[in-house]
Amino acid sequence: MQKIPFAYPLAGDEEEQAVKEVLASGLWTHGPQAAAFEEEFAAFLGPGAHCVAVSSGMAALHLAFWRLGLTTGDEVIVAAQNHVATAHAICLLGAIPVFADCEPVSGNIDPSLLECLITPRTKAIALVHFLGIPCDLDAITAIARRHSLFLIEDCALALGARWRGIHAGLHGDAGIFSFYPAKHIGVGEGGMFVTRHADLARDCARARGFGVDKPYSDRPIPGIYDVTSLGLNYRLSDVHAAIGRAQLRKLPRFLQLRQQNFQQLSAELVRSPDIHVLQSRHPAAISAHYCLSAVLPSTWTNHRNTILQYLAAAGIGCSVYYPHPVPRLEWYRRRTPYNSAHFTHAERISDSSVALPVGPHLAPEDPGRIAHTLFAALEESLR
Ligand SMILES: *Cc1c(COP(=O)(O)O)cnc(C)c1O
């Protein structure tokens, strides 16, 4: 029986040819590919986008918080139901993540909880468009503006997602994307920092490459440069950028397939009144589904892991997004005692959901097979 991977990066002759050309050019980094990828990515996002290609989504998050000036003792409100990267980037700067629970329909941060978490030390709100489902940006941008807070959008799972027609990542001060192979487009390891502020983009571009004032290609006298800020090496190599450009050309098709697979799979799953499929019902939201997260009734919580094992044994790639609310992860629990009463919805998703594939690697009959296998797993677990 054919296995259906949870995620599978699709590369073809275009990616292979692009890599060969970069290797043959001798310009493996500092070359024209990363700059071209930034321009094409900005064009995909839409007007006003400035893009800085970096070596991972985590690197983009670290740069964003660092260059926005986050420092020791500052507080940032973050979604509890999220990848650990956002909170880690905050902690790396000595700042403090203040976790907010999600709302149960979409799994996104609950805007109604934000204002009571704001203190005089709050500097920013960092949201994640959970699984490619846009947050309520009307509510969140209004709160950020009212309290003069930076807004950072983690769009690592949301390439293609829009709110009121504007792409995710362009609603606040900064956005980040990831090109880890399981994401909407992959390059191996890579990411993109995006912002509407041209000066912030320039600053991040400099900090990405050791704080050097002139990139390699702009040095009138070879070997002569100065260093005008502190920096890191978070550059994206030209090899990776060339793969990214080839993937970006395929993105519209990938997004169409993700949408189609999500619709087909959720149409099958709604036949069970017990299953809730995380999604946005807001008319302003266009989702770019990373996967389909099926939240099971709490009566099934004790069986959830058995259901995952059943699916895996039946060849259905599945996962959990995410297995713990971030404040329940061991490192965070050690810093701040975990209070489960504050994170009931995030916990429900961590403990009772099953994430199913909707990627462009699926065959037309796969959504049906995935749904039937999940129903069989549920039935089996009640025996
Ligand atoms: C993948 C991911 C990241 C980290 O991106 P990397 O490129 O793996 O560093 C951050 N946030 C979210 C929501 C992610 O899914």
Side-chain angles (χ1 to χ4, degrees), residues 79 81-83 86 106-109 126-138 140-141 151-163 166-172 174-177 183-184 194 280 285-291 321-322:
Q81 186 54 253
N82 191 3
H83 192 294
T86 319
S106 67
N108 274 319
I109 196 165
L127 54 79
V128 59
H129 299 296
F130 191 56
L131 310 179
I133 305 162
C135 291
D136 181 342
L137 286 162
D138 291 356
I140 297 169
T141 51
L151 178 63
I152 294 100
E153 297 174 74
D154 182 340
C155 311
L157 300 176
L159 181 51
R162 289 170 186 272
W163 180 264
I166 295 172
H167 202 288
L170 299 178
H171 294 265
I176 73 96
F177 293 84
K183 308 286 165 91
H184 295 54
V194 313
S280 172
I286 295 177
S287 297
H289 297 288
Y290 169 73
C291 64
Y321 282 82
Y322 289 92

Side-chain angles (χ1 to χ4, degrees), residues 10 15 24 44 46 98 100 102 106 132 134 139 181 187 203 230 236 267 289 294 310-311 318 332 335 361 368:
L10 297 177
E15 285 79 0
F44 178 82
V98 175
C102 57
S106 67
V187 306
D203 178 72
L230 207 52
L236 184 70
H289 297 288
Y310 182 101
L311 289 170
C318 54
Y332 285 91
R335 296 173 91 235
H361 61 291

Side-chain angles (χ1 to χ4, degrees), residues 39 64 77 83 93 121 137 160 180 213 260 310 324 338 356 379:
E39 262 173 47
I77 300 172
H83 192 294
L93 294 163
R121 296 199 293 182
L137 286 162
Y180 179 78
D213 62 342
Q260 212 170 294
Y310 182 101
H324 296 279
Y338 178 69
L356 301 167
E379 220 162 89

Side-chain angles (χ1 to χ4, degrees), residues 39-56:
E39 262 173 47
E40 290 160 9
F41 199 83
F44 178 82
L45 294 185
H50 299 274
C51 297
V52 180
V54 291
S55 51
S56 70

Side-chain angles (χ1 to χ4, degrees), residues 137-149:
L137 286 162
D138 291 356
I140 297 169
T141 51
I143 294 166
R145 218 172 293 131
R146 189 150 63 237
H147 297 272
S148 302
L149 303 176

Side-chain angles (χ1 to χ4, degrees), residues 21-42:
E21 281 169 22
V22 175
L23 293 180
S25 76
L27 288 169
W28 294 3
T29 193
H30 283 305
Q33 295 294 330
F37 186 34
E38 288 170 349
E39 262 173 47
E40 290 160 9
F41 199 83

